[in-house]
Amino acid sequence: MSKAGSGNRMWGGRFATGPDAVMEEINASIDFDRKLYAQDIAGSMAHARMLTKQGIISKQDAKQICAGLDTILSEIEAGKFEFSRALEDIHMNIEARLKKLIGEPAGRLHTARSRNDQVATDFRLWVKQMMTGLSASVSSLMKVLVEKADNHADTIMPGFTHLQSAQPVTFGHHCLAYVEMLARDKSRVDDAIKRMDECPLGAAALAGTGFAIDREMVAKELGFSKPTRNSLDSVSDRDFALDMLSAASICATHLSRLAEEIVIWSTPQFNFITLSDAFSTGSSIMPQKKNPDAAELIRAKTGRINGSLVGLLTVLKGLPLSYSKDMQEDKEAVFDAVTSLEVCLAAMTGLISDMRINADAMHKAAGSGHATATDLADWLVRELNMPFREAHHVTGRVVALAEKHACSLEDLTLDQMQSVHDGITNAVYDVLSVEKSVASRTSFGGTAPKNVRKQVRYWQRQIAKMG
């Protein structure tokens, strides 16, 4: 099986033969790290210009290197570049092609760097760029939810605990709860971008280099704020990938919770919303079915995103400093998580934008299950100066009475309520409707429609600042 008799050009004179086929299979990363081609070429160009400025390579060599890299970039983007698994990774594929294009000057490009700091730079740059896009996608979903909240600041629905009707709220208030979650998601993404805004290139294999390089120049050219401060950490750090996966997992979990509610709300039993045909599918055997597949897939993809986070944490947990080949397993999980979260955000944005709210069904459900019982207890406290625990007990007896008569609290007669407590007056009816219950929740952060509108204005200003 061995490729005996042929020296390995990547690994140099230390190895007399090429890799065994099985070794090539486990070792090669080009099948997935080709995704880093643009970042790898950008890093190489910045490195070449820096080497020239520092007098380490000639201007002519740098000019040929950059021209060759431009050609390679065009070839890859045109689909004309031939990737080779025998060359192992994106770095060596590009370097080999560069040598064919420009000859001997290509060999000068790797002066004062290693594949260790090269891949750390490529990957960090890719993650930083992708997270900038994810941040914008989160903002887009927030905007759609704020628009729905604005349109439905007065639309009453049941608020749930334990998936049981608890107290009436507005649909606008419910939408804004997810805006709050997404705002935290965006802040985590933006914070992670700030933390990863350091350039590892120049750390070389692990110890830095004896060449008089200018790491600040390279960092600036690549859009980083500064170079990393420790060469060992530079090549072995993957916190930036963990930050991305952690933020992605939390965001996906929020999307999954919303997706679960959409699945429930769209059932005939709830009928709170109607999904558009664009985000639903039918059944191959049951013609009446309209399945919320987009929401279900968002819910499912959360599992694979969470799995990517756990996978990378496990890869890194026992690695000594500095670089180990284990780190090759960092990329596929990140690539997959980014793709999954991107499509989940896009699908949820379209799904929320297109869905129709069935306000009458929501309102009817909001009045079921004696959802204004807490309003009755609060009234007893305010008007009769009753201790809340006693008010809770009295209210429970009134609820039992309503259940006995199969009616709502507001449909009980005053005589019936006074049979439970003779201090109850006609004024109690001012708090027993769902409309008055919702309107009364005026504490900061409460569901009163006027509160919702204030929060809508706040979030419209915040989203406008996000750009």
Side-chain angles (χ1 to χ4, degrees), residues 281-291 293:
T281 64
S283 166
S284 63
I285 191 172
M286 295 169 283
Q288 83 281 8
K289 294 289 293 299
K290 188 174 185 180
N291 300 322
D293 282 11

Side-chain angles (χ1 to χ4, degrees), residues 295-439:
E296 291 172 357
L297 288 167
I298 291 169
R299 188 174 59 186
K301 284 184 181 295
T302 300
R304 67 192 290 170
I305 294 171
N306 291 348
S308 294
L309 172 60
V310 173
L312 185 55
L313 284 168
T314 305
V315 166
L316 295 172
K317 70 176 181 62
L319 296 187
L321 295 179
S322 58
Y323 181 85
S324 296
K325 191 67 170 180
D326 310 53
M327 291 181 181
Q328 185 168 292
E329 294 298 312
D330 58 0
K331 297 170 197 67
E332 288 179 282
V334 171
F335 294 159
D336 184 76
V338 168
T339 300
S340 295
L341 186 57
E342 281 179 336
V343 73
C344 286
L345 286 166
M348 186 61 81
T349 301
L351 197 157
I352 294 294
S353 181
D354 286 0
M355 73 182 185
R356 188 176 76 246
I357 310 306
N358 301 328
D360 290 343
M362 284 187 173
H363 189 281
K364 182 178 179 182
S368 67
H370 312 299
T372 58
T374 305
D375 298 275
L376 172 57
D378 289 346
W379 185 88
L380 293 170
V381 171
R382 283 195 310 270
E383 301 301 323
L384 304 185
N385 198 31
M386 191 179 292
F388 184 81
R389 285 301 168 202
E390 183 182 347
H392 187 282
H393 178 71
V394 170
T395 300
R397 291 174 60 197
V398 174
V399 168
L401 186 63
E403 289 179 345
K404 178 181 177 181
H405 291 280
C407 67
S408 67
L409 294 179
E410 64 180 322
D411 289 334
L412 286 171
T413 67
L414 181 60
D415 286 341
Q416 287 172 323
M417 284 193 277
Q418 287 179 336
S419 71
V420 175
H421 194 284
D422 59 10
I424 297 175
T425 69
N426 266 318
V428 76
Y429 292 102
D430 290 340
V431 301
L432 294 183
S433 71
V434 292
E435 289 82 5
K436 289 177 179 176
S437 172
V438 165

